């Protein structure tokens, strides 16, 4: 099974080399190898005596993350879908994509996606599952944006990326919570601890996160909006990712976890509710589309909603219906996408208003489309698989369990009616799709190309899929007991006893519902033009796309506005913000930690003496004067006064080395100022507004006050004695000097001095560079 | 005495910050000078301001009570030299900046949108 996941990845690495020969051999032929061999390998597992297989390969043992691959019935269904349709799509793409396209890119992305999808459905470890989950999002993003010169492609790719990654991240949240609660990373061990999870306080959060992950991936309402825009991808991609595989990853997820959650009533309410809403909304909106792939996209949404709803019902019949419909939908929807691609390829347009009357020109495609659409609509004919699963669906809507919640009761009563409503519209758009394209008037003059039948190679893949539709339609029990029963029991968590699928059950309610669908659908289809005005009212101008665009653009504008509000380029503003933050945080901390305790003992403080007070007063006055002076020489000299005052304080406080250095440095600084000032413009009179001044004043006074408070309160709590004793004791004996300050500087803490010398050296070099080096004019 | 020195350090910080928040380059540099003076005084005050002997050992007397604390002095000495280096670099930078840009108004020195 490791082979299944990593063979496509391995092949993807080789594709760039192989695609060099694309003019001789289409790269797609090499790619075909991967899905075909994997399909053949997994087909051998089908049978009555299928038993789940578990393979384990270590990856990150310390985090309990192992590559656990678990092949049970559910995985088997998906693996076969992915590899089987993967092979057909690859084959189709060989004829669809011209050799002049960047084939290497296309097939690398496609193989990447295939491997990721195998990983998703086979993983038993939640974190491995998440890894592959995100890999599908990324490769899908790359495939949607394959024609990256088109603006719509890029928009669609980004949209799908944002929505699916949003869901993917929620999923990670759910997985983390599940791991924390169950202390295991393996899904089947989690299922064994279902009671623990169901009784956990985090249950609502876990379910929300899992639902978000599944609904975004599977394009459920209201996250369905990315799927129609993803139709900008090449048609093989739409057929593969957006009908058969990736959009079913969410379905897979719900099915995988339903043994844990299905006993919870909210599981039924949310999954069925959202599913049935998606079914109705998708089919309702599909009728309005004019683009072939647009119709198919909304149809996919609606069919996924139907499967989701059946998973939510949770009864045996419903689960079987769901897995049956997963298979059926993959067959007919894949072929319909391919036919849409053929029509596009041969006529140059996908606009259904320009198409019509192609039946005589493209007879084979038309035949295939008839089978596909009729199966999709669930027309009661014994050779169409869509009818069977639709009937199981109707049947399951009628036999829902009674629930205790009143809300669930309302939903339970409404579901059969909603199901019929959605199916009527499904019938209408299916008929519209096939009759609008292949019957009616010809508008050959409006078509960019002269239409003719597609090359035989292109028709093979959809023919095989339609053959699948018919074979399952004729012999539904072929896939029933040996294959789908295993899938259903994997979802139910207990053995499923398959019933024989029969076309004719007698004249029972589900059949009556089907007949109502066909009858009302036909009437609605014939008079489509008369009632299509209803779309002006609902949805009218409402649309989820608008909400999405508002959120995306709104985020951009709002964050730009927030950033511009404080990042205005003025250094003064930044300085003020930084200082204000310092003041607020420090004062806040002091207040909260009771840092204002001021206990002053006279014996710990030095005596107050007059000379020091005089010097201090002089410095204070000088410092304040710097603010008010308008003369630059005066400002510089007053700064000198402060510096010299400080050196006198150093003298008073018995710091001869400091006093010396301060005197010399102050003299040089003043000298430097005087050298520079001549070149600097004169100080201008202040013209700033009062507000500007008062903000500055508040900030500076606040900061000064803060420093004073810190100094005083620091004095009030002296907890440790100084280490100066050590320096004084050992300076002579160990350091060999009597000047303790100098011994500290060069001996005990010599590293400080080394780097202070470095600082001076760098400053000197910098000054030299600033003065000497000049960028030449126009050198920029 | 420490209280008075703390207040003085606070005043130096206040005036320094006020100058720092002005628009003219020269004022900003004066502001940084005042702030570094304030910081030095702050460190000195945080040690003890008791007036013992200067920390130069005489006649082998190693009784710590006779001397002032040498460690803050060593720290301030390092700091003075570093702030001198930075101030001189700032001054020359200011000189060059106002020459090149023909303004010393910080509000006009903003760079372009895409720089």
């Amino acid at each position: 099974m490791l082979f299944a996941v990593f063979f496509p990845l391995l092949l993807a690495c080789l594709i760039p080399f192989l695609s060099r020969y694309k003019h001789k051999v289409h790269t797609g032929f090499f790619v075909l190898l991967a899905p075909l061999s994997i399909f053949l390998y997994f087909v051998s597992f089908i049978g009555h005596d299928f038993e789940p297989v578990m393979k384990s390969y270590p990856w990150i043992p310390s985090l309990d993350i192992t590559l656990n691959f678990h092949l049970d019935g559910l995985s088997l269904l998906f693996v076969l879908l992915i590899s089987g349709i993967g092979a057909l799509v690859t084959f189709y793409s060989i004829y669809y994509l011209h050799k002049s396209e960047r084939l290497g890119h296309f097939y690398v992305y496609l193989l990447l996606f295939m491997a990721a999808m195998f990983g998703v459905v086979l993983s038993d470890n939640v974190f491995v599952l998440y890894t592959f989950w995100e890999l599908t999002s990324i490769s899908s993003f790359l495939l949607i944006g394959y024609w990256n010169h088109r603006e719509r492609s890029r928009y669609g790719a980004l949209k799908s990326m944002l929505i699916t990654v949003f869901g993917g991240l929620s999923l990670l949240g759910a997985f983390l919570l599940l791991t924390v609660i169950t202390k295991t990373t393996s899904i089947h061990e989690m299922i064994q601890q279902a009671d623990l999870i169901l009784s956990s306080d985090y249950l609502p959060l876990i379910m929300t996160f899992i639902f978000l992950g599944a609904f975004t991936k599977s394009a459920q309402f209201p996250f369905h909006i990315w799927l129609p825009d993803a139709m900008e991808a090449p048609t093989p991609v739409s057929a593969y990712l957006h009908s058969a595989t990736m959009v079913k990853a969410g379905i897979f997820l719900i099915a995988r976890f339903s043994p844990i959650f299905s006993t919870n009533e909210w599981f039924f309410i949310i999954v069925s509710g959202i599913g049935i809403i998606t079914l109705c909304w998708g089919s309702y909106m599909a009728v309005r589309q004019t683009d072939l792939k647009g119709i198919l996209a909304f149809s996919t949404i609606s069919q996924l909603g139907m499967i989701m709803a059946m998973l939510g019902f949770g009864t045996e019949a419903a689960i079987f219906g769901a897995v049956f419909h997963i298979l059926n939908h993959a067959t007919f929807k894949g072929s319909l996408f391919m036919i849409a691609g053929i029509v596009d390829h041969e006529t140059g347009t996908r606009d259904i208003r320009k198409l019509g009357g192609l039946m005589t020109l493209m007879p084979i495609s038309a035949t295939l489309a008839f089978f596909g659409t009729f199966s999709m609509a669930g027309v009661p004919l014994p050779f169409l698989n869509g009818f069977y699963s639709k009937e199981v669906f109707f049947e399951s809507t009628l036999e829902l369990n009674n629930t205790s919640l009143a809300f669930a009761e309302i939903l339970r009563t409404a579901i059969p009616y909603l199901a019929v409503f959605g199916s009527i519209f499904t019938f209408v758009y299916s008929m519209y799709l096939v009759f609008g394209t292949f019957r009616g008037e010809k508008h050959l003059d409006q078509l960019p190309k002269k239409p003719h039948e597609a090359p035989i190679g292109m028709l093979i893949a959809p023919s095989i899929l339609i053959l699948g539709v018919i074979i399952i339609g004729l012999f539904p029990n072929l896939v029933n007991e040996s294959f789908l029963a295993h899938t259903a029991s994997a979802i139910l968590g207990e053995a499923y006893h398959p019933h024989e699928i029969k076309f004719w059950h007698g004249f029972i309610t589900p059949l009556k519902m089907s007949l109502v669908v066909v009858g009302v659908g036909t009437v609605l289809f014939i008079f489509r033009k008369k009632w299509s005005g209803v779309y002006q009212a609902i949805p009218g101008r409402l649309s989820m796309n608008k909400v999405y665009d508002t959120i995306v653009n709104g985020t951009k504008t709002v964050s730009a506005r927030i950033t511009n509000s404080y990042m205005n380029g003025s250094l003064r503003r930044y300085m003020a913000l930084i200082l204000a933050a310092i003041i607020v945080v420090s004062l806040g901390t002091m207040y909260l930690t009771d840092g204002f305790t001021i206990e002053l003992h006279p014996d710990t403080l030095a005596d107050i003496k007059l000379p020091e007070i005089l010097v201090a007063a002089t410095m204070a006055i000088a410092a304040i004067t710097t603010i008010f002076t308008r003369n630059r020489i005066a400002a510089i000299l007053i700064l000198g006064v402060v510096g010299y005052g400080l050196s006198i304080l150093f003298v008073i406080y018995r710091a001869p080395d400091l006093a010396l250095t301060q005197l010399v440095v102050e003299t040089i600084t003043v000298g430097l100022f005087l050298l520079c000032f001549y070149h600097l413009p004169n100080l201008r009179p202040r013209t700033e507004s009062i507000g500007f001044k008062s903000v500055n004043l508040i900030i500076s006074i606040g900061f000064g006050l803060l420093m004073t408070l810190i100094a005083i309160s620091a004095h009030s709590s002296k907890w440790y004695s100084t280490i100066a004793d050590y320096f004084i004791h050992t300076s002579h004996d160990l350091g060999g000097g009597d000047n303790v300050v100098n011994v500290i500087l060069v001996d005990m803490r010599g590293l400080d001095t080394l780097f202070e010398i470095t600082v001076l050296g760098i400053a000197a070099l910098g000054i030299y560079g600033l003065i000497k080096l000049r960028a030449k004019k126009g050198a920029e | 005495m420490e209280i008075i020195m703390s207040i003085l350090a606070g005043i130096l910080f206040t005036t320094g910050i006020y100058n720092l928040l002005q628009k003219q380059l020269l004022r900003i540099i004066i502001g940084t000078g005042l702030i570094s003076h304030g910081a030095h005084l702050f460190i000195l005050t945080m040690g003890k301001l008791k007036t013992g002997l200067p920390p130069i050992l005489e006649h082998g007397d190693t009784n710590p009570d006779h001397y002032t604390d040498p460690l803050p002095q060593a720290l301030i000495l390092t700091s003075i030299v570093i702030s001198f280096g930075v101030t001189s670099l700032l001054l020359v930078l200011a000189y060059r900046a106002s020459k090149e840009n023909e303004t010393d108004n910080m509000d006009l020195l903003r760079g372009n949108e895409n720089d």
Side-chain angles (χ1 to χ4, degrees), chain A residues 568 571-572 606 612 626 629 653-654 661 666 672 682 686 700 704 715 722 724 738 740 745 756 770 774, chain B residues 1-2 10 14 19 21-22 24 27 37 45 50 52 55 57 62 69 73 77-78 88 95-96 106 110:
Chain A
N568 63 350
L571 287 180
R572 196 197 77 81
E612 294 146 52
T626 53
T629 182
Y653 292 120
R654 304 295 191 270
T661 319
E666 197 57 39
L672 258 176
N682 206 344
R686 305 175 175 286
S700 43
H715 267 293
T722 164
D738 286 333
V740 186
L745 281 177
E756 147 197 349
L770 276 172
R774 293 279 188 279
Chain B
M1 202 65 231
E2 277 87 350
T14 307
N19 274 311
L21 292 174
Q22 300 301 309
Q24 272 184 292
R27 278 204 187 280
H37 287 327
T45 316
K50 294 223 164 165
L57 305 179
T62 55
D69 195 336
Q73 298 192 10
L77 199 58
T78 311
S88 31
Y95 156 71
R96 288 282 299 137
M106 286 306 290
R110 285 198 186 193

Side-chain angles (χ1 to χ4, degrees), chain B residues 71-89:
Chain B
L71 189 58
Q73 298 192 10
L75 296 181
I76 295 171
L77 199 58
T78 311
S79 167
I80 288 174
V81 176
I82 290 175
S83 62
F84 165 68
V86 174
T87 309
S88 31
L89 186 69

Side-chain angles (χ1 to χ4, degrees), chain A residues 65-133:
Chain A
I65 295 177
T66 41
L67 292 171
N68 279 355
F69 293 124
H70 184 212
L71 183 78
D72 61 356
L74 180 62
S75 313
L76 186 65
L77 169 68
F78 276 91
V79 165
L80 287 176
L81 279 183
I82 295 160
S83 53
I85 298 192
L88 294 175
V89 160
T90 313
F91 193 73
Y92 175 77
S93 71
I94 291 172
Y95 293 91
Y96 184 84
L97 287 176
H98 194 257
K99 283 178 182 174
S100 59
E101 301 270 8
R102 294 165 305 152
L103 293 178
H105 292 231
F106 180 79
Y107 287 112
V108 167
Y109 303 156
L110 196 73
L111 284 170
L112 195 68
F113 170 79
M114 211 179 275
M117 214 51 219
F118 285 131
V120 166
V121 298
L122 287 172
S123 297
D124 185 53
N125 188 297
V126 282
F127 294 111
V128 178
L129 173 59
Y130 172 73
T131 310
F132 287 114
W133 185 274

Side-chain angles (χ1 to χ4, degrees), chain A residues 27 51 73 93 101 121 255 272 314 320 359 392 407 439 611 631 661 710:
Chain A
T27 318
E51 283 295 321
S93 71
E101 301 270 8
V121 298
S272 307
F320 181 78
M359 194 161 77
V392 178
F407 181 66
R439 292 297 303 270
N631 183 323
T661 319
I710 290 177

